[in-house]
């Protein structure tokens, strides 16, 4: 569809934005699924249990981030249908506290789903920062296939 006021293409399709409203403990040296309790929006009811399963085949820009309470190595991974798909951020520095990144993902509209996973190596378990602007996950349909 087009928006006649601005003469731009408007893509109808699934879109969501969610954030973590409850602290989550991330064990040391363990890749852990990030949990997102609060939805800002979910246009097609495709986001549930911290997982996005779009019902339209196409290409989805995905972004996310997380902050943790202690400095040390941290990584952020995008998982597609149960397997790590892209490393969105890898930071091996001793002072890392925030990781974010983005990728474009083809989704088949039926069985494909995406989730975010965190890894940290600070020497012990570390809590995430439950905050709308710091621990988030979002995606939208950019182009149908």
């Amino acid at each position: 569809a087009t928006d006649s006021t601005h003469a731009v293409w408007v893509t109808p399709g699934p879109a969501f934005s969610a954030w973590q409203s409850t602290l989550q403990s991330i064990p040391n040296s363990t890749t852990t699924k990030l949990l997102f309790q609060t939805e800002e929006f979910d246009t097609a009811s495709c986001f549930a249990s911290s997982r996005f399963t779009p019902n339209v085949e196409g290409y989805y820009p995905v972004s996310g981030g997380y902050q943790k309470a202690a400095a040390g190595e941290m990584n952020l991974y995008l998982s597609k249908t149960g397997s790590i798909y892209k490393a969105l951020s890898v930071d091996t520095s001793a002072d890392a506290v925030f990781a974010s990144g983005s990728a474009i993902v083809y989704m088949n509209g039926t069985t494909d789903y995406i989730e975010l996973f965190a890894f940290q190596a600070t020497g012990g378990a570390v809590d995430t920062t439950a905050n709308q602007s710091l621990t988030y996950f979002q995606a939208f349909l950019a182009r149908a296939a």
Side-chain angles (χ1 to χ4, degrees), residues 82-132:
S83 299
I84 298 300
Y85 181 68
K86 301 276 186 187
L88 300 182
S89 179
V90 175
D91 191 339
T92 58
S93 69
D95 59 351
V97 293
F98 181 72
S100 67
S102 62
I104 297 174
V105 182
Y106 166 78
M107 306 283 282
N108 66 16
T110 55
T111 59
D112 285 342
Y113 62 89
I114 53 173
E115 301 168 305
L116 285 185
F117 282 79
F119 173 89
Q120 64 86 19
T122 59
V126 173
D127 286 342
T128 60
T129 302
N131 181 289
Q132 184 174 4

Coordinates of all heavy atoms in Angstrom, one line a residue, residues 82-132:
G82 N 16.2 -22.2 16.5 CA 16.9 -23.1 17.5 C 18.4 -23.1 17.3 O 19.0 -23.8 18.1
S83 N 19.0 -22.4 16.4 CA 20.4 -22.5 16.2 C 21.0 -21.0 16.1 O 20.3 -20.2 15.5 CB 20.8 -23.2 14.9 OG 20.4 -24.5 14.9
I84 N 22.2 -20.8 16.7 CA 22.8 -19.5 16.6 C 23.0 -19.2 15.1 O 23.6 -20.0 14.4 CB 24.1 -19.5 17.4 CG1 23.9 -19.8 18.8 CG2 24.8 -18.2 17.1 CD1 23.0 -18.8 19.6
Y85 N 22.5 -18.0 14.7 CA 22.5 -17.6 13.3 C 23.5 -16.5 13.0 O 24.2 -16.6 12.0 CB 21.1 -17.2 13.0 CG 20.8 -16.7 11.6 CD1 20.9 -17.6 10.5 CD2 20.5 -15.4 11.3 CE1 20.7 -17.2 9.2 CE2 20.3 -15.0 10.0 CZ 20.4 -15.9 8.9 OH 20.2 -15.5 7.7
K86 N 23.5 -15.5 13.9 CA 24.5 -14.4 13.7 C 25.0 -13.9 15.1 O 24.2 -13.9 16.1 CB 23.7 -13.2 13.1 CG 23.1 -13.4 11.8 CD 24.1 -13.2 10.7 CE 23.4 -13.3 9.3 NZ 24.3 -13.3 8.2
A87 N 26.3 -13.6 15.2 CA 26.8 -12.9 16.3 C 26.5 -11.4 16.1 O 27.1 -10.8 15.2 CB 28.3 -13.2 16.5
L88 N 25.7 -10.9 16.9 CA 25.3 -9.4 16.8 C 26.4 -8.6 17.4 O 26.6 -7.4 17.0 CB 24.0 -9.2 17.3 CG 22.8 -9.9 16.7 CD1 21.5 -9.5 17.4 CD2 22.7 -9.7 15.2
S89 N 27.0 -9.1 18.5 CA 28.0 -8.3 19.2 C 28.9 -9.3 19.9 O 28.5 -10.2 20.6 CB 27.4 -7.3 20.1 OG 28.4 -6.6 20.8
V90 N 30.2 -9.1 19.8 CA 31.2 -9.8 20.5 C 32.2 -8.9 21.1 O 32.9 -8.1 20.4 CB 31.9 -10.9 19.6 CG1 33.0 -11.6 20.4 CG2 30.9 -11.8 19.0
D91 N 32.3 -8.8 22.4 CA 33.2 -7.9 23.1 C 34.0 -8.6 24.2 O 33.4 -9.1 25.2 CB 32.5 -6.7 23.7 CG 33.4 -5.6 24.2 OD1 34.6 -5.8 24.4 OD2 32.9 -4.5 24.4
T92 N 35.3 -8.8 24.0 CA 36.1 -9.6 24.9 C 36.8 -8.7 25.9 O 37.7 -9.2 26.7 CB 37.1 -10.5 24.1 OG1 37.9 -9.6 23.3 CG2 36.4 -11.5 23.3
S93 N 36.6 -7.4 25.9 CA 37.3 -6.5 26.8 C 36.8 -6.7 28.2 O 35.7 -7.1 28.5 CB 37.1 -5.0 26.3 OG 35.7 -4.7 26.5
A94 N 37.7 -6.3 29.1 CA 37.4 -6.5 30.6 C 36.3 -5.5 31.1 O 35.8 -5.6 32.1 CB 38.7 -6.3 31.4
D95 N 36.1 -4.4 30.3 CA 35.1 -3.4 30.8 C 33.8 -3.4 30.1 O 33.0 -2.4 30.2 CB 35.8 -2.0 30.7 CG 36.2 -1.6 29.3 OD1 36.1 -2.5 28.4 OD2 36.6 -0.5 29.0
A96 N 33.5 -4.4 29.3 CA 32.2 -4.4 28.5 C 31.0 -4.6 29.5 O 31.0 -5.4 30.4 CB 32.2 -5.6 27.5
V97 N 30.0 -3.7 29.2 CA 28.7 -3.8 30.0 C 27.5 -3.7 29.1 O 26.4 -4.0 29.5 CB 28.6 -2.7 31.1 CG1 29.7 -2.9 32.2 CG2 28.7 -1.3 30.5
F98 N 27.7 -3.4 27.8 CA 26.5 -3.2 26.9 C 26.9 -3.9 25.5 O 28.0 -3.7 25.0 CB 26.1 -1.8 26.7 CG 25.0 -1.6 25.8 CD1 23.7 -1.9 26.2 CD2 25.1 -1.1 24.5 CE1 22.6 -1.8 25.4 CE2 24.0 -1.0 23.6 CZ 22.7 -1.3 24.1
A99 N 25.9 -4.7 25.0 CA 26.1 -5.3 23.7 C 24.8 -5.0 22.9 O 23.7 -5.1 23.4 CB 26.3 -6.8 23.8
S100 N 25.0 -4.7 21.6 CA 23.8 -4.5 20.7 C 24.2 -4.8 19.3 O 25.4 -4.8 19.0 CB 23.2 -3.1 20.9 OG 24.2 -2.1 20.3
G101 N 23.2 -5.0 18.5 CA 23.5 -5.3 17.1 C 22.3 -5.5 16.3 O 21.2 -5.5 16.8
S102 N 22.5 -5.7 15.0 CA 21.3 -5.9 14.1 C 21.7 -6.8 12.9 O 22.9 -7.0 12.6 CB 20.8 -4.6 13.6 OG 21.8 -4.0 12.8
A103 N 20.7 -7.4 12.3 CA 21.0 -8.3 11.1 C 19.7 -8.3 10.3 O 18.6 -8.0 10.9 CB 21.3 -9.7 11.5
I104 N 19.7 -8.7 9.1 CA 18.6 -8.9 8.3 C 18.4 -10.4 8.1 O 19.4 -11.1 7.8 CB 18.7 -8.3 6.9 CG1 18.8 -6.7 7.1 CG2 17.5 -8.6 6.0 CD1 19.0 -6.0 5.8
V105 N 17.2 -10.9 8.4 CA 17.0 -12.4 8.4 C 15.8 -12.7 7.5 O 14.7 -12.1 7.6 CB 16.6 -12.8 9.9 CG1 16.4 -14.3 9.9 CG2 17.7 -12.4 10.8
Y106 N 16.0 -13.7 6.6 CA 14.9 -14.3 5.9 C 14.1 -15.2 6.8 O 14.7 -16.1 7.5 CB 15.4 -15.1 4.6 CG 14.3 -15.9 4.0 CD1 13.3 -15.4 3.2 CD2 14.2 -17.3 4.3 CE1 12.3 -16.1 2.7 CE2 13.2 -18.1 3.8 CZ 12.2 -17.5 3.0 OH 11.2 -18.2 2.5
M107 N 12.8 -15.1 6.8 CA 11.9 -15.9 7.6 C 10.9 -16.5 6.7 O 10.3 -15.8 5.9 CB 11.2 -15.1 8.7 CG 12.2 -14.3 9.6 SD 13.1 -15.3 10.8 CE 11.8 -15.5 12.0
N108 N 10.6 -17.8 6.9 CA 9.6 -18.5 5.9 C 8.2 -18.3 6.2 O 7.3 -18.7 5.4 CB 9.9 -20.0 5.9 CG 9.6 -20.7 7.1 OD1 8.9 -20.2 8.0 ND2 10.2 -22.0 7.3
G109 N 7.8 -17.6 7.3 CA 6.4 -17.3 7.5 C 5.6 -18.4 8.2 O 4.4 -18.2 8.4
T110 N 6.2 -19.5 8.4 CA 5.5 -20.6 9.0 C 6.2 -21.2 10.2 O 5.7 -21.1 11.3 CB 5.2 -21.8 8.0 OG1 6.4 -22.2 7.4 CG2 4.2 -21.3 6.9
T111 N 7.4 -21.8 10.0 CA 8.1 -22.4 11.1 C 9.4 -21.7 11.6 O 9.8 -22.0 12.7 CB 8.6 -23.8 10.6 OG1 9.5 -23.7 9.5 CG2 7.4 -24.7 10.3
D112 N 9.9 -20.7 10.9 CA 11.0 -20.0 11.4 C 10.7 -19.1 12.5 O 9.6 -18.5 12.6 CB 11.6 -19.1 10.2 CG 12.4 -19.9 9.2 OD1 12.8 -21.1 9.5 OD2 12.6 -19.4 8.1
Y113 N 11.6 -19.0 13.5 CA 11.4 -18.1 14.6 C 12.8 -17.6 15.0 O 13.8 -18.2 14.7 CB 10.7 -18.7 15.8 CG 11.4 -19.9 16.4 CD1 12.4 -19.8 17.4 CD2 11.2 -21.2 15.9 CE1 13.0 -20.9 18.0 CE2 11.8 -22.3 16.5 CZ 12.7 -22.1 17.5 OH 13.4 -23.2 18.1
I114 N 12.8 -16.4 15.7 CA 14.1 -15.9 16.2 C 14.0 -15.6 17.7 O 12.9 -15.3 18.2 CB 14.5 -14.6 15.4 CG1 13.3 -13.6 15.4 CG2 14.9 -14.9 14.0 CD1 13.7 -12.2 14.8
E115 N 15.2 -15.7 18.3 CA 15.3 -15.4 19.8 C 16.7 -14.7 19.9 O 17.6 -14.9 19.1 CB 15.3 -16.6 20.6 CG 14.0 -17.4 20.4 CD 14.0 -18.8 21.0 OE1 14.9 -19.6 20.7 OE2 13.2 -19.1 21.9
L116 N 16.9 -14.0 21.1 CA 18.2 -13.5 21.4 C 18.8 -14.2 22.5 O 18.1 -14.7 23.5 CB 18.1 -12.0 21.8 CG 17.8 -11.0 20.7 CD1 17.8 -9.6 21.3 CD2 18.8 -11.1 19.6
F117 N 20.1 -14.4 22.5 CA 20.9 -15.1 23.5 C 22.1 -14.3 23.9 O 22.7 -13.6 23.1 CB 21.4 -16.5 23.0 CG 20.4 -17.5 22.9 CD1 19.4 -17.6 21.9 CD2 20.3 -18.5 23.9 CE1 18.5 -18.5 21.9 CE2 19.3 -19.5 23.9 CZ 18.4 -19.5 22.9
A118 N 22.4 -14.3 25.2 CA 23.5 -13.6 25.8 C 24.5 -14.5 26.3 O 24.2 -15.7 26.8 CB 22.9 -12.7 27.0
F119 N 25.8 -14.1 26.3 CA 26.9 -14.8 26.9 C 27.7 -13.8 27.7 O 27.9 -12.7 27.2 CB 27.7 -15.4 25.8 CG 29.0 -16.1 26.4 CD1 29.0 -17.4 26.8 CD2 30.2 -15.3 26.5 CE1 30.2 -18.0 27.3 CE2 31.3 -15.9 27.0 CZ 31.3 -17.2 27.4
Q120 N 28.1 -14.2 28.9 CA 29.0 -13.3 29.6 C 30.1 -14.1 30.4 O 29.8 -15.2 30.7 CB 28.2 -12.3 30.5 CG 27.5 -13.0 31.7 CD 28.3 -13.3 32.9 OE1 29.4 -12.7 33.1 NE2 27.9 -14.2 33.7
A121 N 31.2 -13.5 30.5 CA 32.3 -14.2 31.3 C 33.0 -13.2 32.2 O 34.0 -12.5 31.9 CB 33.3 -14.7 30.3
T122 N 32.3 -13.0 33.4 CA 32.8 -12.1 34.4 C 33.4 -12.8 35.6 O 33.9 -12.2 36.5 CB 31.7 -11.1 34.9 OG1 30.6 -11.9 35.4 CG2 31.2 -10.3 33.7
G123 N 33.2 -14.1 35.6 CA 33.7 -14.9 36.7 C 32.5 -15.4 37.6 O 32.7 -16.2 38.5
G124 N 31.3 -14.9 37.4 CA 30.2 -15.3 38.2 C 28.9 -14.9 37.5 O 29.0 -14.2 36.4
A125 N 27.8 -15.3 38.0 CA 26.5 -14.9 37.4 C 26.3 -13.4 37.5 O 26.8 -12.7 38.5 CB 25.4 -15.6 38.1
V126 N 25.7 -12.8 36.5 CA 25.5 -11.3 36.5 C 24.1 -11.0 36.0 O 23.6 -11.7 35.1 CB 26.5 -10.7 35.5 CG1 26.2 -9.2 35.3 CG2 27.9 -10.9 35.9
D127 N 23.5 -10.1 36.7 CA 22.1 -9.6 36.3 C 22.1 -8.7 35.1 O 23.1 -7.9 34.9 CB 21.4 -8.9 37.5 CG 21.0 -9.8 38.6 OD1 20.9 -11.0 38.3 OD2 20.8 -9.3 39.7
T128 N 21.1 -8.8 34.3 CA 20.9 -7.9 33.2 C 20.3 -6.6 33.8 O 19.9 -6.6 34.9 CB 19.9 -8.4 32.2 OG1 18.7 -8.7 32.8 CG2 20.4 -9.7 31.5
T129 N 20.3 -5.5 33.0 CA 19.6 -4.3 33.4 C 18.2 -4.3 32.7 O 18.1 -4.3 31.5 CB 20.4 -3.1 32.9 OG1 21.7 -3.1 33.4 CG2 19.7 -1.8 33.3
A130 N 17.2 -4.4 33.5 CA 15.8 -4.4 33.0 C 15.4 -3.0 32.8 O 15.1 -2.3 33.7 CB 14.9 -5.1 34.1
N131 N 15.5 -2.6 31.5 CA 15.2 -1.2 31.1 C 14.8 -1.2 29.6 O 15.4 -1.8 28.8 CB 16.5 -0.4 31.4 CG 16.3 1.0 31.0 OD1 16.2 1.4 29.9 ND2 16.4 1.9 32.1
Q132 N 13.8 -0.4 29.3 CA 13.3 -0.3 28.0 C 14.3 0.1 26.9 O 14.3 -0.3 25.8 CB 12.1 0.7 28.0 CG 11.4 0.8 26.6 CD 10.2 1.7 26.8 OE1 9.9 2.3 27.8 NE2 9.5 1.9 25.7

